[in-house]
Amino acid sequence: MTRTVLKQFPAQRDDIGDLITRRPLPGPGIEQLDPFLFLNHHGPQTYPRNNQGLPFGPHPHRGFETVTFILQGELSHLDSGGHESIIGAGGVQWMTAGSGLVHAELSPQSFKREGGPLEILQLWVNLPARLKMTKPAYVGLQGADIPTITEPLAEVRLISGDYVSSAQRSERGPIDSLTGLCLMTVHLQPGARLSLPAPVGHNVFLYVVDGQASIAGNALRCHHLVKLSDTHDSVTVKATGSATLLYGHGAPLGEPVASYGPFVMNTREEIQQAFADYQAGKFGHIQG
């Protein structure tokens, strides 16, 4: 048996300057999907030559992780921990803000000069109280670093966690998540039928990036976050057209969430302390 669709939540349009932005989480009727906190879907769009690029200059974070999927284009990362990279299409940036980082996510000079297509997904994942002040970390993966699992009429690009293919081959993503998260992108061709892991007790994160698919006879809506039942250990997705999904699962933390802007903690007092620490320079500074 497969999990079934309980409800679908539309992404709300919230453009940032000229950057097309849709946000399914949080949104009307859904504040979080523990441990998943936030998703921004930027693009798809095509930037002209001599553009200004992305607007995400230096800003702080504490208490959670950001996972950024570059579907099209390029993204530059620079942070106060000394990490620096430019990740191209098909790649992923995984940043553990932990006790506090300042980072910038901008377009490389080459992209601003030449322009081109851009589409990016950024997911925020909560950390439990015991890990909120963990040491910050960053991993940048190019597309070639991410294993592609070929299924009949489908491809799974596995970022973290475990996946058993239809040929019963076990795969593990290159990122070792602090909280045991499984994250992947799924690309379906028309007629594909794919069973995805959904351990009992875990919340599933499923966002329809584009295309047409269904679960247990329920059509999935493009640019919607799909909330599923939790009584079975798999999800069977059928594609009625080409489709791209952001898919994952994780154990709910079951802890209070206090958030304000770039900080996600457990109490209001911890949020106030995060502001104080940032203003005191304890998150460090981006060099260069």
Side-chain angles (χ1 to χ4, degrees), residues 109-123:
Q109 289 299 324
S110 58
F111 184 86
K112 291 194 285 187
R113 182 175 62 251
E114 300 297 331
L118 182 77
E119 185 173 16
I120 292 171
L121 306 170
Q122 185 172 89
L123 178 66

PDB file of all heavy atoms in Angstrom, residues 109-123:
ATOM      1  N   GLN A 109      30.121  36.495 -11.580  1.00  0.00           N
ATOM      2  CA  GLN A 109      30.312  37.569 -12.555  1.00  0.00           C
ATOM      3  C   GLN A 109      29.994  37.099 -13.969  1.00  0.00           C
ATOM      4  O   GLN A 109      29.436  37.847 -14.777  1.00  0.00           O
ATOM      5  CB  GLN A 109      31.739  38.104 -12.469  1.00  0.00           C
ATOM      6  CG  GLN A 109      32.040  38.906 -11.218  1.00  0.00           C
ATOM      7  CD  GLN A 109      31.164  40.153 -11.101  1.00  0.00           C
ATOM      8  OE1 GLN A 109      30.839  40.806 -12.095  1.00  0.00           O
ATOM      9  NE2 GLN A 109      30.774  40.474  -9.877  1.00  0.00           N
ATOM     10  N   SER A 110      30.333  35.850 -14.276  1.00  0.00           N
ATOM     11  CA  SER A 110      30.090  35.342 -15.628  1.00  0.00           C
ATOM     12  C   SER A 110      28.598  35.305 -15.937  1.00  0.00           C
ATOM     13  O   SER A 110      28.175  35.590 -17.059  1.00  0.00           O
ATOM     14  CB  SER A 110      30.701  33.947 -15.790  1.00  0.00           C
ATOM     15  OG  SER A 110      30.164  33.051 -14.819  1.00  0.00           O
ATOM     16  N   PHE A 111      27.774  34.942 -14.925  1.00  0.00           N
ATOM     17  CA  PHE A 111      26.329  34.885 -15.142  1.00  0.00           C
ATOM     18  C   PHE A 111      25.759  36.298 -15.304  1.00  0.00           C
ATOM     19  O   PHE A 111      24.894  36.532 -16.151  1.00  0.00           O
ATOM     20  CB  PHE A 111      25.638  34.169 -13.988  1.00  0.00           C
ATOM     21  CG  PHE A 111      24.156  33.988 -14.184  1.00  0.00           C
ATOM     22  CD1 PHE A 111      23.669  32.907 -14.882  1.00  0.00           C
ATOM     23  CD2 PHE A 111      23.243  34.920 -13.688  1.00  0.00           C
ATOM     24  CE1 PHE A 111      22.298  32.738 -15.087  1.00  0.00           C
ATOM     25  CE2 PHE A 111      21.886  34.769 -13.885  1.00  0.00           C
ATOM     26  CZ  PHE A 111      21.411  33.670 -14.584  1.00  0.00           C
ATOM     27  N   LYS A 112      26.263  37.234 -14.507  1.00  0.00           N
ATOM     28  CA  LYS A 112      25.772  38.609 -14.636  1.00  0.00           C
ATOM     29  C   LYS A 112      26.158  39.201 -15.994  1.00  0.00           C
ATOM     30  O   LYS A 112      25.407  39.986 -16.573  1.00  0.00           O
ATOM     31  CB  LYS A 112      26.319  39.465 -13.492  1.00  0.00           C
ATOM     32  CG  LYS A 112      25.721  39.094 -12.139  1.00  0.00           C
ATOM     33  CD  LYS A 112      25.986  40.128 -11.074  1.00  0.00           C
ATOM     34  CE  LYS A 112      27.393  40.077 -10.579  1.00  0.00           C
ATOM     35  NZ  LYS A 112      27.588  40.998  -9.421  1.00  0.00           N
ATOM     36  N   ARG A 113      27.298  38.786 -16.487  1.00  0.00           N
ATOM     37  CA  ARG A 113      27.760  39.298 -17.778  1.00  0.00           C
ATOM     38  C   ARG A 113      27.009  38.646 -18.940  1.00  0.00           C
ATOM     39  O   ARG A 113      26.561  39.322 -19.866  1.00  0.00           O
ATOM     40  CB  ARG A 113      29.257  39.054 -17.918  1.00  0.00           C
ATOM     41  CG  ARG A 113      29.869  39.597 -19.212  1.00  0.00           C
ATOM     42  CD  ARG A 113      31.368  39.411 -19.216  1.00  0.00           C
ATOM     43  NE  ARG A 113      31.762  38.006 -19.149  1.00  0.00           N
ATOM     44  CZ  ARG A 113      32.315  37.421 -18.088  1.00  0.00           C
ATOM     45  NH1 ARG A 113      32.555  38.117 -16.985  1.00  0.00           N
ATOM     46  NH2 ARG A 113      32.640  36.138 -18.106  1.00  0.00           N
ATOM     47  N   GLU A 114      26.838  37.321 -18.908  1.00  0.00           N
ATOM     48  CA  GLU A 114      26.291  36.587 -20.043  1.00  0.00           C
ATOM     49  C   GLU A 114      24.786  36.336 -19.923  1.00  0.00           C
ATOM     50  O   GLU A 114      24.108  36.119 -20.920  1.00  0.00           O
ATOM     51  CB  GLU A 114      27.014  35.247 -20.200  1.00  0.00           C
ATOM     52  CG  GLU A 114      28.510  35.371 -20.438  1.00  0.00           C
ATOM     53  CD  GLU A 114      28.839  36.085 -21.738  1.00  0.00           C
ATOM     54  OE1 GLU A 114      28.021  36.000 -22.681  1.00  0.00           O
ATOM     55  OE2 GLU A 114      29.904  36.722 -21.811  1.00  0.00           O
ATOM     56  N   GLY A 115      24.255  36.310 -18.686  1.00  0.00           N
ATOM     57  CA  GLY A 115      22.856  35.976 -18.502  1.00  0.00           C
ATOM     58  C   GLY A 115      22.591  34.503 -18.737  1.00  0.00           C
ATOM     59  O   GLY A 115      23.508  33.692 -18.848  1.00  0.00           O
ATOM     60  N   GLY A 116      21.306  34.141 -18.815  1.00  0.00           N
ATOM     61  CA  GLY A 116      20.940  32.753 -19.067  1.00  0.00           C
ATOM     62  C   GLY A 116      19.801  32.310 -18.175  1.00  0.00           C
ATOM     63  O   GLY A 116      19.276  33.075 -17.362  1.00  0.00           O
ATOM     64  N   PRO A 117      19.397  31.048 -18.297  1.00  0.00           N
ATOM     65  CA  PRO A 117      18.285  30.527 -17.498  1.00  0.00           C
ATOM     66  C   PRO A 117      18.679  30.341 -16.037  1.00  0.00           C
ATOM     67  O   PRO A 117      19.845  30.048 -15.722  1.00  0.00           O
ATOM     68  CB  PRO A 117      17.968  29.185 -18.162  1.00  0.00           C
ATOM     69  CG  PRO A 117      19.247  28.776 -18.824  1.00  0.00           C
ATOM     70  CD  PRO A 117      19.909  30.053 -19.253  1.00  0.00           C
ATOM     71  N   LEU A 118      17.704  30.498 -15.151  1.00  0.00           N
ATOM     72  CA  LEU A 118      17.932  30.342 -13.714  1.00  0.00           C
ATOM     73  C   LEU A 118      16.705  29.718 -13.067  1.00  0.00           C
ATOM     74  O   LEU A 118      15.580  30.153 -13.305  1.00  0.00           O
ATOM     75  CB  LEU A 118      18.218  31.691 -13.057  1.00  0.00           C
ATOM     76  CG  LEU A 118      18.521  31.636 -11.552  1.00  0.00           C
ATOM     77  CD1 LEU A 118      19.947  31.147 -11.326  1.00  0.00           C
ATOM     78  CD2 LEU A 118      18.322  32.995 -10.901  1.00  0.00           C
ATOM     79  N   GLU A 119      16.932  28.689 -12.267  1.00  0.00           N
ATOM     80  CA  GLU A 119      15.875  28.113 -11.432  1.00  0.00           C
ATOM     81  C   GLU A 119      16.535  27.476 -10.215  1.00  0.00           C
ATOM     82  O   GLU A 119      17.438  26.641 -10.347  1.00  0.00           O
ATOM     83  CB  GLU A 119      15.053  27.073 -12.192  1.00  0.00           C
ATOM     84  CG  GLU A 119      13.875  26.554 -11.381  1.00  0.00           C
ATOM     85  CD  GLU A 119      12.946  25.650 -12.173  1.00  0.00           C
ATOM     86  OE1 GLU A 119      13.363  25.178 -13.262  1.00  0.00           O
ATOM     87  OE2 GLU A 119      11.819  25.408 -11.712  1.00  0.00           O
ATOM     88  N   ILE A 120      16.081  27.876  -9.033  1.00  0.00           N
ATOM     89  CA  ILE A 120      16.713  27.463  -7.781  1.00  0.00           C
ATOM     90  C   ILE A 120      15.631  27.140  -6.754  1.00  0.00           C
ATOM     91  O   ILE A 120      14.621  27.844  -6.654  1.00  0.00           O
ATOM     92  CB  ILE A 120      17.635  28.578  -7.233  1.00  0.00           C
ATOM     93  CG1 ILE A 120      18.855  28.761  -8.148  1.00  0.00           C
ATOM     94  CG2 ILE A 120      18.083  28.284  -5.811  1.00  0.00           C
ATOM     95  CD1 ILE A 120      19.695  29.960  -7.800  1.00  0.00           C
ATOM     96  N   LEU A 121      15.841  26.083  -5.989  1.00  0.00           N
ATOM     97  CA  LEU A 121      14.993  25.747  -4.847  1.00  0.00           C
ATOM     98  C   LEU A 121      15.834  25.872  -3.580  1.00  0.00           C
ATOM     99  O   LEU A 121      16.937  25.326  -3.527  1.00  0.00           O
ATOM    100  CB  LEU A 121      14.473  24.315  -4.943  1.00  0.00           C
ATOM    101  CG  LEU A 121      13.735  23.903  -6.217  1.00  0.00           C
ATOM    102  CD1 LEU A 121      13.517  22.397  -6.232  1.00  0.00           C
ATOM    103  CD2 LEU A 121      12.408  24.631  -6.327  1.00  0.00           C
ATOM    104  N   GLN A 122      15.308  26.589  -2.572  1.00  0.00           N
ATOM    105  CA  GLN A 122      16.011  26.608  -1.286  1.00  0.00           C
ATOM    106  C   GLN A 122      15.074  26.137  -0.180  1.00  0.00           C
ATOM    107  O   GLN A 122      14.006  26.708   0.038  1.00  0.00           O
ATOM    108  CB  GLN A 122      16.557  27.976  -0.914  1.00  0.00           C
ATOM    109  CG  GLN A 122      17.390  27.874   0.375  1.00  0.00           C
ATOM    110  CD  GLN A 122      18.144  29.132   0.740  1.00  0.00           C
ATOM    111  OE1 GLN A 122      17.627  29.994   1.435  1.00  0.00           O
ATOM    112  NE2 GLN A 122      19.386  29.245   0.261  1.00  0.00           N
ATOM    113  N   LEU A 123      15.518  25.077   0.495  1.00  0.00           N
ATOM    114  CA  LEU A 123      14.754  24.439   1.560  1.00  0.00           C
ATOM    115  C   LEU A 123      15.449  24.703   2.895  1.00  0.00           C
ATOM    116  O   LEU A 123      16.666  24.548   3.003  1.00  0.00           O
ATOM    117  CB  LEU A 123      14.699  22.933   1.281  1.00  0.00           C
ATOM    118  CG  LEU A 123      13.996  22.039   2.289  1.00  0.00           C
ATOM    119  CD1 LEU A 123      12.501  22.342   2.348  1.00  0.00           C
ATOM    120  CD2 LEU A 123      14.226  20.569   1.926  1.00  0.00           C
TER     121      LEU A 123
END
